[in-house]
Amino acid sequence: MAELNPQVKQIRVPASVWAMAHHIVKSGKDAFSQSELKDASCGTLDTALALGLIVKLDNGLYKANVELAKFYASLLPKVPKAYIAERKGRFRVSEAKVPCKERQEAIKLARAWAKLAECAEEHADCEEELPKDVIEVLERHGIEVRSMTLPSGAKAVVAKLLNYYIVMDWLMVKNSPKCLRFPQLGPDAMLCASTREKLYWYLVPLALRPQN
């Protein structure tokens, strides 16, 4: 596996930043009041300022980096596990307890991603197994789901996020994907898995693996 040297890709941003970026993109403008941004993020502006998503102007307003907002909004929000973990078919924390719509949307996306990971763990072809509302949330945020036969010969559930083709399993609920260039799917495409070992397993045909 030494020759693979996959890159670790960060596909998540803090939920407050994701929610603010989502609001910025939806609004179609680039200048905001402090109260509007706080209402959108359900929190302080410190992280968004530190990441360069917004800058404070002399007139007290905040200017957004719209291109960066589009990028952050295309990633996944970091949501506490309690919000996406189910107990006896019900979530531990109610989405309704979150007061702002953008953060509620962040939770919906995180839950849909977790449902996809759970489904992929159980079915090599789970597109028909996923509830319609889960598919709708993923597609609303540009995430495509497909079944693919990989170079190893294994069939897997893959989520396309930006130019990353991520082989889904339960570890992908929280893991950062390990990725390698995969030109079969496009010049910038990368194939990713939850661990380096799994990426190797999907990429290398059985006949070419070292025999013990």
Side-chain angles (χ1 to χ4, degrees), residues 47 101 137 154 156-157 181 186 193 195 198 204 208 210:
T47 306
K101 291 182 180 179
V137 172
V157 178
R181 293 286 179 190
T195 67
K198 286 191 175 184
V204 180
L208 299 181

Side-chain angles (χ1 to χ4, degrees), residues 97-159:
K97 289 185 177 181
V98 179
C100 56
K101 291 182 180 179
E102 287 81 1
R103 285 290 277 267
Q104 288 179 2
E105 186 66 18
I107 293 168
K108 287 179 183 176
L109 178 54
R111 285 177 176 174
W113 184 262
K115 283 285 188 185
L116 175 60
E118 181 181 25
C119 182
E121 193 78 25
E122 298 173 358
H123 307 278
D125 184 352
C126 75
E127 291 172 82
E128 295 183 3
E129 303 289 335
L130 283 172
K132 184 179 178 181
D133 60 332
V134 171
I135 291 289
E136 288 176 349
V137 172
L138 294 171
E139 289 182 346
R140 184 161 70 239
H141 295 285
I143 298 172
E144 301 174 13
V145 180
R146 64 178 76 178
S147 293
M148 288 176 52
T149 300
L150 299 169
S152 66
K155 191 174 183 181
V157 178
V158 174

Side-chain angles (χ1 to χ4, degrees), residues 59-211:
N59 61 5
L61 295 177
Y62 289 79
K63 185 175 178 62
N65 182 328
V66 176
E67 289 306 310
L68 192 57
K70 290 177 181 177
F71 174 65
Y72 286 154
S74 69
L75 299 177
L76 298 172
K78 293 178 183 177
V79 173
K81 187 177 179 181
Y83 281 91
I84 58 174
E86 288 182 290
R87 181 179 295 168
K88 296 181 179 179
R90 301 182 66 179
F91 291 106
R92 296 180 183 181
V93 180
S94 171
E95 179 187 303
K97 289 185 177 181
V98 179
C100 56
K101 291 182 180 179
E102 287 81 1
R103 285 290 277 267
Q104 288 179 2
E105 186 66 18
I107 293 168
K108 287 179 183 176
L109 178 54
R111 285 177 176 174
W113 184 262
K115 283 285 188 185
L116 175 60
E118 181 181 25
C119 182
E121 193 78 25
E122 298 173 358
H123 307 278
D125 184 352
C126 75
E127 291 172 82
E128 295 183 3
E129 303 289 335
L130 283 172
K132 184 179 178 181
D133 60 332
V134 171
I135 291 289
E136 288 176 349
V137 172
L138 294 171
E139 289 182 346
R140 184 161 70 239
H141 295 285
I143 298 172
E144 301 174 13
V145 180
R146 64 178 76 178
S147 293
M148 288 176 52
T149 300
L150 299 169
S152 66
K155 191 174 183 181
V157 178
V158 174
K160 183 179 182 291
L161 176 72
L162 298 176
N163 63 318
Y164 308 137
Y165 291 78
I166 302 171
V167 181
M168 295 298 293
D169 60 19
W170 183 246
L171 291 176
M172 276 314 310
V173 172
K174 287 293 181 182
N175 278 24
S176 295
K178 288 68 182 175
C179 306
L180 282 171
R181 293 286 179 190
F182 198 66
Q184 294 94 316
L185 293 173
D188 298 320
M190 303 192 85
L191 186 69
C192 311
S194 57
T195 67
R196 187 168 177 263
E197 290 75 19
K198 286 191 175 184
L199 181 60
Y200 173 82
W201 193 87
Y202 287 122
L203 279 172
V204 180
L206 184 62
L208 299 181
R209 296 177 197 172
Q211 301 299 314

